[in-house]
Amino acid sequence: MKPLWRKLKNLFGAAESPAPADDAAMIEALFASDIAGIAQSDFRTGKFTRVNSRMCEMLGRGEQELMTLGPPDVQHPDDGARLMPVFLKAMSSKGKWEGDMRHLLPDGEVVWARISAMVTARDETGAPLRGVAILLDMTDARRADEQARENTEILRLGQVVGRIGTVRRDIVNGVILAEPAIRDIMALPEGAGPIPTAQWLERIVPEDRNRVAAEMRRAEEGGAEDISLDYRTTCPRTGRLRYIELRARYIFGPNGKATSSIGVAIDVTERREAEIRLAHAANHDSLTGLPNRGLFRVRLEEALALARRGVNFALLCLDLDRFKEVNDTLGHPVGDRLLDAAAKRLRKELRDTDTLARLGGDEFAVIQSCLLEPREASALALRLVQTLSAPFVIDGQQIVVGVSIGIALAPQDGGETESLLSAADMALYHAKSDGRGVWRYFKPEMNQRMQMRRELELDLRRAMTDGQFEVFYQPIMDVESRRVKTFEALLRWRHPERGLLAPDLFIPLCEEVGLIVPLGDWVLRRACADAARWPEDIGLAVNFSPVQIQSRHLVGQIASTLRDTGLNPRRLEVEITENVLIKDKETALATLYAIKALGARIAMDDFGTGYSSLSYLQIFPFDKVKIDRSFTCELGQSRKSNAIIRAVAGLCDGLDMAVVAEGVETEGQFEALRREGCNQAQGYLFSCAVAADALPALLDALNGAEWAQAAE
């Protein structure tokens, strides 16, 4: 086909002389057609002199607007700058130019046009004067080409990234024809020639090879059109195991026998490795790599199935001793490394047939398989206790923990997963109760004790709703005046069957089952309401557990209670133990400062029994320190006890803190406290804890009748 410029030359001629009438008619017909955009332009002005309607349509402009513009005004600036010098040179020397160029519509859209242009008139020097151009809209074709190239590139990238390739197998000649990309994917020899099928099979790992060959034979002999093969091969360069998925379609000859196949091979190594990692992560502990609770239950069910056929085993539940102290004092990263080190020690004491799992936190479990007699479990428990009792060195620090172990034997202690786990847990509970660092076998009576504990829990919940709790008060005396300074609120449970119970019999259980916060709120409100009726110079001390201090509602609860009862905040003392600060020091300190901001006073109870009491006196301005009764009982009899009391009193005096000695039972102890500078005292020498309605009589006995009258 002749180029468009030749057609233009035939129509417009190369001279300025008028065209014949039939050519003029053809030119008019061409301008009137909608096949292509046609434009005449003046080289001297650089403007269009005539355009047809198709040209206006292509460029999105009206005829009058285009008459004020020239080719550079509608061209894409990048293409104009690049192609205009070439265009002008060609028009001057050859009188014609043909090429593709982008044009910009008023709305910013781009139109691709194939342009055929020629000079229709020159001046006396031969320079172009006028020209005409035909523009064919190539936008759709261009976009189709770009889409095709993009699809091709996507397919190529998909094959490279996805490691996909095609392979053809000549079954008659027993060879495989594969492109270079697929050779790498399938770990086949490099080159372009055919590869014997037997050589390809040799590259498949032995565990998969026979299965793949058998599946291929069944497909060929059974006339199956499609086949899917999954197998592993080894890369000859790296030695790395690869996972391949091969999907092929067979072609059969007239005799019904397979002649060839064509298929797609996909390297799914990364996907399979990710699946393996995910499966491992789903069934194993991320810290120690041990089986987690889910996988352990599967292994336990498998062991129970064997136990029903006579293969006995032991279940050992382990709990590290003092691990919480490590976490609280040295931090969770050290605690994590300690758990990992403990897991490694435990593994060394077990056989390959045993199962070790981490159930969560510092809890581990062991399935000791093929148990011949119960004492084998004791022997293992002894080794585990010994190995975990030896010091650990973590980040240069020597750490000593221990382990308590509960043992249940299968099938005699339980034939199902839940019953056996429950038996081992009960045995572990008793091991920890018996001093830790020991192991205990499950006994049926343990179940009875656990049932009693559950009944006690139910009783506790009923006690909350039935109003069985009471607040008793024990006086704290001013040593100098021997008058009541404060009453400490002490909780009692009037059990309908067991009588009046002290808090140490039920408070730990309240903390375990989540009752301590509502019960503590009740005690605070009851005690503040009682104290509001006392003389103004007698304070109220209320104990708060670590769980209460961690509650974000505590400060608001105290503020609302003081407001509702009308108790002056300065009369309230909040007593805490060191454990409050050990659990979460930052949160606890923030809460204590907020309570102090209300006007209440803060006291540290059981001072001297923990690990960091002195350091806590530095980080928080306590108003009062209560010395534990263990230091008071030998006052006047032991130089050490006297020295400790004297030192604490002197220290607190320098820090503007009051000192209270607990457990004062004799006049000798009281006199010793006076000599050593102790401010306040509490104990049976003055009074035990009494009910609220007994306080007027107690005040009368301790402070005189005027106090009782004021209280009334």
Side-chain angles (χ1 to χ4, degrees):
M1 186 174 69
K2 294 181 179 180
L4 289 175
W5 66 266
R6 291 188 180 178
K7 297 180 181 180
L8 289 171
K9 182 176 181 181
N10 292 338
L11 289 174
F12 293 96
E16 288 189 89
S17 57
D22 56 344
D23 286 349
M26 291 180 64
I27 292 172
E28 292 302 323
L30 185 63
F31 267 96
S33 74
D34 288 334
I35 298 174
I38 302 178
Q40 284 182 330
S41 57
D42 189 323
F43 280 88
R44 291 170 298 183
T45 63
K47 304 292 185 182
F48 291 117
T49 58
R50 187 178 182 186
V51 295
N52 71 344
S53 60
R54 177 61 179 147
M55 184 74 169
C56 296
E57 181 184 346
M58 286 176 59
L59 298 181
R61 291 176 170 87
E63 182 178 354
Q64 291 184 352
E65 182 185 359
L66 283 177
M67 290 299 100
T68 65
L69 304 174
D73 298 321
V74 296
Q75 295 166 353
H76 193 287
D78 292 344
D79 288 4
R82 178 172 54 87
L83 296 176
M84 191 53 68
V86 179
F87 168 80
L88 293 175
K89 182 177 180 180
M91 295 296 276
S92 297
S93 60
K94 300 178 181 178
K96 62 183 183 295
W97 182 82
E98 202 165 341
D100 293 346
M101 184 178 289
R102 289 175 295 173
H103 294 72
L104 281 179
L105 302 185
D107 61 2
E109 287 290 322
V110 174
V111 173
W112 277 95
R114 178 156 295 166
I115 303 173
S116 293
M118 68 173 293
V119 175
T120 59
R122 296 177 183 272
D123 62 13
E124 61 275 5
T125 65
L129 286 176
R130 290 183 296 280
V132 66
I134 296 179
L135 285 74
L136 293 178
D137 190 344
M138 303 296 293
T139 304
D140 291 342
R142 277 275 184 170
R143 287 175 179 167
D145 289 345
E146 289 177 359
Q147 186 64 49
R149 285 195 296 272
E150 184 179 342
N151 290 342
T152 301
E153 182 63 16
I154 290 174
L155 179 60
R156 187 189 69 80
L157 287 174
Q159 288 180 314
V160 172
V161 175
R163 297 188 61 78
I164 303 171
T166 57
V167 60
R168 182 175 178 274
R169 178 170 163 235
D170 184 340
I171 298 175
V172 175
N173 295 309
V175 295
I176 291 176
L177 305 173
E179 58 188 8
I182 199 65
R183 288 172 182 260
D184 179 65
I185 291 172
M186 298 176 65
L188 296 172
E190 297 180 356
I195 303 166
T197 303
Q199 188 176 2
W200 164 62
L201 284 170
E202 285 298 318
R203 294 293 179 92
I204 299 175
V205 297
E207 294 86 354
D208 298 345
R209 188 182 305 146
N210 293 336
R211 173 179 54 81
V212 169
E215 290 180 7
M216 289 168 56
R217 283 195 302 271
R218 281 196 298 270
E220 295 164 12
E221 295 170 359
E225 290 188 358
D226 300 309
I227 187 173
S228 297
L229 299 173
D230 300 309
Y231 62 89
R232 293 166 295 170
T233 186
T234 304
C235 178
R237 298 190 311 276
T238 64
R240 180 186 175 192
L241 196 66
R242 284 185 176 174
Y243 294 81
I244 307 296
E245 289 183 2
L246 181 61
R247 307 290 180 261
R249 171 157 291 185
Y250 283 104
I251 300 170
F252 295 88
N255 58 0
K257 292 185 177 181
T259 60
S260 63
S261 68
I262 185 167
V264 175
I266 309 172
D267 185 345
V268 294
T269 302
E270 292 185 0
R271 188 188 77 194
R272 290 298 304 277
E273 289 177 344
E275 291 172 350
I276 292 171
R277 287 194 299 271
L278 286 173
H280 185 275
N283 292 297
H284 291 78
D285 173 49
S286 59
L287 177 64
T288 62
L290 297 176
N292 60 15
R293 185 181 292 272
L295 181 56
F296 180 75
R297 292 178 71 91
V298 173
R299 300 273 178 86
L300 187 55
E301 289 171 0
E302 293 171 352
L304 282 168
L306 290 174
R308 296 183 192 107
R309 298 196 293 269
V311 183
N312 296 349
F313 69 94
L315 171 62
L316 291 78
C317 284
L318 293 71
D319 195 87
L320 297 187
D321 300 330
R322 296 180 294 278
F323 176 74
K324 183 179 181 300
E325 297 173 15
V326 174
N327 252 357
D328 292 339
T329 57
L330 301 179
H332 290 280
V334 173
D336 287 346
R337 286 191 281 277
L338 174 61
L339 288 172
D340 189 41
K344 289 182 172 63
R345 287 192 185 181
L346 291 172
R347 280 197 197 99
K348 293 180 180 179
E349 301 298 329
L350 302 177
R351 303 165 299 175
D352 292 340
T353 55
D354 298 330
T355 296
L356 171 65
R358 182 186 175 207
L359 304 185
D362 60 341
E363 299 177 43
F364 295 86
V366 174
I367 298 174
Q368 186 183 14
S369 62
C370 303
L371 194 71
L372 298 179
E373 51 186 20
R375 66 180 181 180
E376 292 180 3
S378 294
L380 174 59
L382 174 61
R383 295 201 306 272
L384 299 183
V385 168
Q386 289 175 339
T387 189
L388 292 184
S389 297
F392 290 86
V393 178
I394 308 293
D395 293 348
Q397 301 183 75
Q398 189 176 58
I399 300 172
V400 179
V401 292
V403 65
S404 300
I405 303 175
I407 304 173
L409 303 176
Q412 54 264 48
D413 291 338
E416 301 297 332
T417 300
E418 295 302 332
S419 61
L420 194 64
L421 279 171
S422 177
D425 279 340
M426 281 187 272
L428 174 61
Y429 178 82
H430 282 79
K432 296 184 79 69
S433 300
D434 290 347
R436 304 185 178 186
V438 298
W439 63 92
R440 293 289 181 265
Y441 283 92
F442 170 76
K443 296 179 181 179
E445 54 266 29
M446 292 179 180
N447 201 11
Q448 297 174 357
R449 292 183 211 166
M450 192 60 66
Q451 183 63 33
M452 292 176 59
R453 185 180 180 276
R454 283 193 288 267
E455 290 175 358
L456 182 61
E457 179 183 341
L458 293 175
D459 288 347
L460 268 175
R461 297 187 184 279
R462 280 193 294 268
M464 286 288 293
T465 58
D466 295 349
Q468 297 174 9
F469 290 109
E470 299 178 18
V471 179
F472 278 41
Y473 299 93
Q474 185 177 29
I476 299 175
M477 309 296 290
D478 179 75
V479 171
E480 190 63 31
S481 65
R482 196 160 179 157
R483 298 170 76 88
V484 176
K485 184 74 174 179
T486 305
F487 279 114
E488 180 180 0
L490 299 169
L491 184 63
R492 297 292 186 266
W493 178 11
R494 197 170 293 279
H495 193 281
E497 297 174 359
R498 302 172 62 183
L500 196 65
L501 302 180
D504 57 333
L505 297 177
F506 59 87
I507 287 296
L509 183 57
C510 286
E511 292 180 336
E512 286 184 34
V513 300
L515 289 177
I516 192 63
V517 171
L519 184 57
D521 291 344
W522 179 85
V523 170
L524 174 66
R525 187 164 290 272
R526 178 70 268 165
C528 287
D530 288 342
R533 296 192 295 269
W534 303 342
E536 287 291 331
D537 56 352
I538 295 181
L540 167 69
V542 180
N543 292 279
F544 287 80
S545 75
V547 178
Q548 288 177 274
I549 296 295
Q550 296 299 320
S551 172
R552 64 178 184 274
H553 303 297
L554 178 62
V555 177
Q557 181 69 23
I558 293 175
S560 65
T561 299
L562 292 171
R563 183 175 59 252
D564 295 344
T565 60
L567 183 69
N568 188 329
R570 296 189 177 279
R571 294 177 61 193
L572 176 64
E573 291 181 3
V574 172
E575 286 193 11
I576 66 167
T577 62
E578 175 180 306
N579 291 335
V580 167
L581 295 167
I582 289 177
K583 187 170 185 180
D584 186 346
K585 184 169 66 176
E586 288 72 20
T587 300
L589 287 175
T591 301
L592 293 178
Y593 274 110
I595 294 173
K596 201 171 178 67
L598 295 176
R601 299 161 62 81
I602 311 295
M604 176 183 279
D605 198 5
D606 298 336
F607 182 81
T609 60
Y611 296 100
S612 306
S613 298
L614 287 176
S615 66
Y616 292 141
L617 296 185
Q618 287 183 306
I619 64 175
F620 187 80
F622 288 95
D623 298 288
K624 181 183 290 187
V625 169
K626 298 186 73 174
I627 302 175
D628 187 70
R629 66 185 65 248
S630 61
F631 297 102
T632 308
C633 63
E634 295 187 9
L635 274 174
Q637 302 174 12
S638 167
R639 291 177 57 251
K640 292 182 180 180
S641 294
N642 286 42
I644 290 173
I645 296 293
R646 187 184 314 120
V648 173
L651 172 66
C652 291
D653 182 61
L655 296 174
D656 294 326
M657 298 178 186
V659 180
V660 182
E662 297 180 305
V664 180
E665 298 183 356
T666 67
E667 288 291 344
Q669 293 171 348
F670 182 72
E671 288 302 320
L673 290 174
R674 188 196 303 272
R675 288 195 304 271
E676 303 302 346
C678 193
N679 308 108
Q680 299 173 25
Q682 181 180 14
Y684 287 166
L685 175 63
F686 314 107
S687 173
C688 62
V690 299
D693 58 6
L695 286 183
L698 179 62
L699 283 169
D700 187 20
L702 294 175
N703 286 2
E706 73 276 10
W707 290 89
Q709 293 170 1
E712 293 174 354

